[in-house]
Amino acid sequence: RMTISPTDTAITGLTFSPDSQLLIAFCSDNCARLYPLTEGEPVTLRGHTSSILCADISPDGRRVVTGSWDWKARVWNRDGSGEARVLEGHTAAVTLVAFSPDGNSILTMSDDGCTRLWFESTCVTLLNAGQDYGVGIRRDFRRIVTELADKTRLLWDLELDPVRLIERLWRATPFCLSITERERYLLEPHDLAVRNFEASRSRIRHN
């Protein structure tokens, strides 16, 4: 059991690293705090000018990327050393960030309707098909599915140069890919696909 209590600030969000060895807390002072769950001292990441909405940790565990209401994503060293690398270009809140499996690129999604793919600090791809409403990332990072406000889903191939739309999918209830579609398009194992499908159905029932 672990208790976290940053001083003079409230925790507004939490996420775990993929190996469950690190807890990332988003706080009301616009900082992210990293709490090792085995040993080590917490690390505070300061630099955003508005609330942090999302975070991810690189596959090698050495870097953390955060997205914020300040329209920016920042890439940090896990130990807090050095200057954060700033990913600028979105014109609204950054609502999703994700490292590729090899850690060489980062995907960001924003309320501006754009999904961007970054290498270092350069945006190498811009997927702008209207107001993106949600996104699903295949486990091998080769394809993504974006959902538009009109409930259309678009399948993008990240291995093509340039990246482009390869299929316009179905119109569906927001957040609900079927179990079979999750397994096919996102490569989710069956048990995970079932859990995510049920979670989506539950979210809709409570909206």
Side-chain angles (χ1 to χ4, degrees):
R1 182 176 180 177
M2 178 180 181
T3 301
I4 58 175
S5 54
T7 304
D8 298 328
T9 187
I11 294 174
T12 58
L14 297 167
T15 188
F16 283 96
S17 61
D19 61 6
S20 298
Q21 296 302 303
L22 184 72
L23 179 64
I24 305 174
F26 318 147
C27 300
S28 59
D29 59 0
N30 306 330
C31 296
R33 289 175 171 79
L34 314 183
Y35 294 90
L37 300 185
T38 51
E39 60 182 15
E41 295 297 318
V43 173
T44 300
L45 306 178
R46 304 179 187 276
H48 283 295
T49 58
S50 192
S51 300
I52 295 172
L53 300 175
C54 52
D56 193 25
I57 189 166
S58 62
D60 62 8
R62 298 173 61 184
R63 291 168 295 151
V64 174
V65 58
T66 54
S68 168
W69 276 107
D70 64 11
W71 303 2
K72 298 178 180 64
R74 292 176 181 265
V75 185
W76 319 76
N77 291 327
R78 177 173 169 170
D79 62 5
S81 63
E83 292 291 325
R85 181 157 49 93
V86 182
L87 308 182
E88 295 186 80
H90 285 296
T91 57
V94 178
T95 56
L96 180 143
V97 292
F99 278 101
S100 62
D102 62 9
N104 291 330
S105 56
I106 295 171
L107 188 77
T108 62
M109 178 179 162
S110 168
D111 282 344
D112 63 8
C114 296
T115 301
R116 294 174 180 258
L117 187 65
W118 306 81
F119 181 78
E120 295 296 331
S121 296
T122 303
C123 179
V124 295
T125 302
L126 172 62
L127 310 179
N128 188 353
Q131 184 65 42
D132 286 346
Y133 193 66
V135 65
I137 306 171
R138 211 167 89 156
R139 291 165 67 84
D140 61 6
F141 215 77
R142 294 178 180 175
R143 292 182 176 182
I144 65 171
V145 177
T146 59
E147 180 182 326
L148 307 183
D150 67 359
K151 304 179 185 177
T152 301
R153 296 176 186 271
L154 306 176
L155 180 64
W156 304 86
D157 193 322
L158 300 186
E159 293 191 304
L160 298 178
D161 187 13
V163 171
R164 63 178 181 267
L165 175 70
I166 59 174
E167 188 174 353
R168 182 175 291 270
L169 304 175
W170 54 94
R171 290 173 180 260
T173 304
F175 311 110
C176 275
L177 285 170
S178 71
I179 294 171
T180 300
E181 290 161 347
R182 287 180 179 279
E183 293 173 334
R184 176 183 176 188
Y185 293 112
L186 303 183
L187 297 188
E188 292 182 350
H190 180 73
D191 289 348
L192 178 61
V194 171
R195 290 198 302 272
N196 286 340
F197 176 75
E198 292 300 328
S200 297
R201 293 286 296 273
S202 175
R203 179 174 181 177
I204 291 169
R205 286 194 295 267
H206 288 88
N207 282 346

PDB file of all heavy atoms in Angstrom, residues 85-100:
ATOM      1  N   ARG A  85      11.811  18.485 -23.883  1.00  0.00           N
ATOM      2  CA  ARG A  85      11.635  18.764 -25.306  1.00  0.00           C
ATOM      3  C   ARG A  85      10.173  19.099 -25.545  1.00  0.00           C
ATOM      4  O   ARG A  85       9.291  18.356 -25.138  1.00  0.00           O
ATOM      5  CB  ARG A  85      12.067  17.534 -26.112  1.00  0.00           C
ATOM      6  CG  ARG A  85      11.954  17.704 -27.610  1.00  0.00           C
ATOM      7  CD  ARG A  85      12.889  16.720 -28.330  1.00  0.00           C
ATOM      8  NE  ARG A  85      12.753  15.370 -27.833  1.00  0.00           N
ATOM      9  CZ  ARG A  85      11.944  14.447 -28.362  1.00  0.00           C
ATOM     10  NH1 ARG A  85      11.158  14.768 -29.370  1.00  0.00           N
ATOM     11  NH2 ARG A  85      11.893  13.230 -27.873  1.00  0.00           N
ATOM     12  N   VAL A  86       9.900  20.225 -26.192  1.00  0.00           N
ATOM     13  CA  VAL A  86       8.535  20.710 -26.366  1.00  0.00           C
ATOM     14  C   VAL A  86       8.054  20.385 -27.786  1.00  0.00           C
ATOM     15  O   VAL A  86       8.732  20.707 -28.764  1.00  0.00           O
ATOM     16  CB  VAL A  86       8.440  22.229 -26.117  1.00  0.00           C
ATOM     17  CG1 VAL A  86       6.992  22.699 -26.252  1.00  0.00           C
ATOM     18  CG2 VAL A  86       8.985  22.564 -24.725  1.00  0.00           C
ATOM     19  N   LEU A  87       6.880  19.762 -27.873  1.00  0.00           N
ATOM     20  CA  LEU A  87       6.248  19.467 -29.156  1.00  0.00           C
ATOM     21  C   LEU A  87       5.134  20.482 -29.361  1.00  0.00           C
ATOM     22  O   LEU A  87       4.093  20.417 -28.705  1.00  0.00           O
ATOM     23  CB  LEU A  87       5.702  18.040 -29.168  1.00  0.00           C
ATOM     24  CG  LEU A  87       6.692  16.925 -28.769  1.00  0.00           C
ATOM     25  CD1 LEU A  87       6.019  15.567 -28.872  1.00  0.00           C
ATOM     26  CD2 LEU A  87       7.959  16.985 -29.613  1.00  0.00           C
ATOM     27  N   GLU A  88       5.361  21.429 -30.264  1.00  0.00           N
ATOM     28  CA  GLU A  88       4.414  22.523 -30.499  1.00  0.00           C
ATOM     29  C   GLU A  88       3.801  22.418 -31.890  1.00  0.00           C
ATOM     30  O   GLU A  88       4.468  22.024 -32.839  1.00  0.00           O
ATOM     31  CB  GLU A  88       5.117  23.872 -30.370  1.00  0.00           C
ATOM     32  CG  GLU A  88       5.641  24.173 -28.984  1.00  0.00           C
ATOM     33  CD  GLU A  88       6.190  25.580 -28.885  1.00  0.00           C
ATOM     34  OE1 GLU A  88       5.381  26.519 -28.729  1.00  0.00           O
ATOM     35  OE2 GLU A  88       7.418  25.734 -28.977  1.00  0.00           O
ATOM     36  N   GLY A  89       2.542  22.805 -31.997  1.00  0.00           N
ATOM     37  CA  GLY A  89       1.878  22.792 -33.288  1.00  0.00           C
ATOM     38  C   GLY A  89       0.377  22.653 -33.173  1.00  0.00           C
ATOM     39  O   GLY A  89      -0.369  23.130 -34.032  1.00  0.00           O
ATOM     40  N   HIS A  90      -0.092  21.986 -32.119  1.00  0.00           N
ATOM     41  CA  HIS A  90      -1.529  21.881 -31.898  1.00  0.00           C
ATOM     42  C   HIS A  90      -2.082  23.252 -31.506  1.00  0.00           C
ATOM     43  O   HIS A  90      -1.372  24.097 -30.954  1.00  0.00           O
ATOM     44  CB  HIS A  90      -1.835  20.864 -30.792  1.00  0.00           C
ATOM     45  CG  HIS A  90      -1.683  19.442 -31.244  1.00  0.00           C
ATOM     46  ND1 HIS A  90      -2.475  18.880 -32.227  1.00  0.00           N
ATOM     47  CD2 HIS A  90      -0.830  18.454 -30.839  1.00  0.00           C
ATOM     48  CE1 HIS A  90      -2.126  17.618 -32.403  1.00  0.00           C
ATOM     49  NE2 HIS A  90      -1.130  17.335 -31.587  1.00  0.00           N
ATOM     50  N   THR A  91      -3.360  23.452 -31.777  1.00  0.00           N
ATOM     51  CA  THR A  91      -3.999  24.731 -31.455  1.00  0.00           C
ATOM     52  C   THR A  91      -5.142  24.548 -30.462  1.00  0.00           C
ATOM     53  O   THR A  91      -6.055  25.375 -30.396  1.00  0.00           O
ATOM     54  CB  THR A  91      -4.524  25.409 -32.734  1.00  0.00           C
ATOM     55  OG1 THR A  91      -5.432  24.525 -33.411  1.00  0.00           O
ATOM     56  CG2 THR A  91      -3.383  25.764 -33.665  1.00  0.00           C
ATOM     57  N   ALA A  92      -5.086  23.468 -29.710  1.00  0.00           N
ATOM     58  CA  ALA A  92      -6.045  23.207 -28.633  1.00  0.00           C
ATOM     59  C   ALA A  92      -5.415  22.184 -27.700  1.00  0.00           C
ATOM     60  O   ALA A  92      -4.279  21.743 -27.914  1.00  0.00           O
ATOM     61  CB  ALA A  92      -7.385  22.705 -29.193  1.00  0.00           C
ATOM     62  N   ALA A  93      -6.142  21.807 -26.664  1.00  0.00           N
ATOM     63  CA  ALA A  93      -5.610  20.900 -25.649  1.00  0.00           C
ATOM     64  C   ALA A  93      -5.141  19.585 -26.264  1.00  0.00           C
ATOM     65  O   ALA A  93      -5.781  19.022 -27.158  1.00  0.00           O
ATOM     66  CB  ALA A  93      -6.675  20.617 -24.600  1.00  0.00           C
ATOM     67  N   VAL A  94      -4.006  19.083 -25.782  1.00  0.00           N
ATOM     68  CA  VAL A  94      -3.485  17.780 -26.191  1.00  0.00           C
ATOM     69  C   VAL A  94      -4.092  16.720 -25.271  1.00  0.00           C
ATOM     70  O   VAL A  94      -3.863  16.740 -24.060  1.00  0.00           O
ATOM     71  CB  VAL A  94      -1.951  17.750 -26.121  1.00  0.00           C
ATOM     72  CG1 VAL A  94      -1.415  16.373 -26.499  1.00  0.00           C
ATOM     73  CG2 VAL A  94      -1.357  18.817 -27.036  1.00  0.00           C
ATOM     74  N   THR A  95      -4.887  15.833 -25.847  1.00  0.00           N
ATOM     75  CA  THR A  95      -5.692  14.910 -25.044  1.00  0.00           C
ATOM     76  C   THR A  95      -5.170  13.486 -25.031  1.00  0.00           C
ATOM     77  O   THR A  95      -5.650  12.659 -24.252  1.00  0.00           O
ATOM     78  CB  THR A  95      -7.132  14.900 -25.561  1.00  0.00           C
ATOM     79  OG1 THR A  95      -7.136  14.571 -26.962  1.00  0.00           O
ATOM     80  CG2 THR A  95      -7.782  16.267 -25.368  1.00  0.00           C
ATOM     81  N   LEU A  96      -4.205  13.168 -25.895  1.00  0.00           N
ATOM     82  CA  LEU A  96      -3.627  11.821 -25.908  1.00  0.00           C
ATOM     83  C   LEU A  96      -2.187  11.909 -26.367  1.00  0.00           C
ATOM     84  O   LEU A  96      -1.865  12.637 -27.304  1.00  0.00           O
ATOM     85  CB  LEU A  96      -4.410  10.894 -26.844  1.00  0.00           C
ATOM     86  CG  LEU A  96      -3.895   9.441 -26.943  1.00  0.00           C
ATOM     87  CD1 LEU A  96      -5.063   8.473 -27.064  1.00  0.00           C
ATOM     88  CD2 LEU A  96      -2.945   9.254 -28.130  1.00  0.00           C
ATOM     89  N   VAL A  97      -1.307  11.171 -25.681  1.00  0.00           N
ATOM     90  CA  VAL A  97       0.092  11.032 -26.089  1.00  0.00           C
ATOM     91  C   VAL A  97       0.468   9.562 -25.985  1.00  0.00           C
ATOM     92  O   VAL A  97      -0.007   8.855 -25.094  1.00  0.00           O
ATOM     93  CB  VAL A  97       1.040  11.886 -25.217  1.00  0.00           C
ATOM     94  CG1 VAL A  97       0.815  13.365 -25.449  1.00  0.00           C
ATOM     95  CG2 VAL A  97       0.865  11.558 -23.725  1.00  0.00           C
ATOM     96  N   ALA A  98       1.326   9.098 -26.903  1.00  0.00           N
ATOM     97  CA  ALA A  98       1.729   7.688 -26.866  1.00  0.00           C
ATOM     98  C   ALA A  98       3.057   7.515 -27.583  1.00  0.00           C
ATOM     99  O   ALA A  98       3.258   8.033 -28.687  1.00  0.00           O
ATOM    100  CB  ALA A  98       0.671   6.802 -27.520  1.00  0.00           C
ATOM    101  N   PHE A  99       3.983   6.787 -26.959  1.00  0.00           N
ATOM    102  CA  PHE A  99       5.235   6.406 -27.599  1.00  0.00           C
ATOM    103  C   PHE A  99       4.991   5.222 -28.528  1.00  0.00           C
ATOM    104  O   PHE A  99       4.148   4.361 -28.261  1.00  0.00           O
ATOM    105  CB  PHE A  99       6.264   5.976 -26.552  1.00  0.00           C
ATOM    106  CG  PHE A  99       6.996   7.104 -25.894  1.00  0.00           C
ATOM    107  CD1 PHE A  99       6.628   7.534 -24.624  1.00  0.00           C
ATOM    108  CD2 PHE A  99       8.071   7.729 -26.509  1.00  0.00           C
ATOM    109  CE1 PHE A  99       7.300   8.566 -23.994  1.00  0.00           C
ATOM    110  CE2 PHE A  99       8.752   8.760 -25.900  1.00  0.00           C
ATOM    111  CZ  PHE A  99       8.369   9.182 -24.637  1.00  0.00           C
ATOM    112  N   SER A 100       5.749   5.174 -29.637  1.00  0.00           N
ATOM    113  CA  SER A 100       5.759   3.987 -30.475  1.00  0.00           C
ATOM    114  C   SER A 100       6.498   2.873 -29.735  1.00  0.00           C
ATOM    115  O   SER A 100       7.260   3.128 -28.795  1.00  0.00           O
ATOM    116  CB  SER A 100       6.456   4.283 -31.802  1.00  0.00           C
ATOM    117  OG  SER A 100       7.811   4.648 -31.590  1.00  0.00           O
TER     118      SER A 100
END
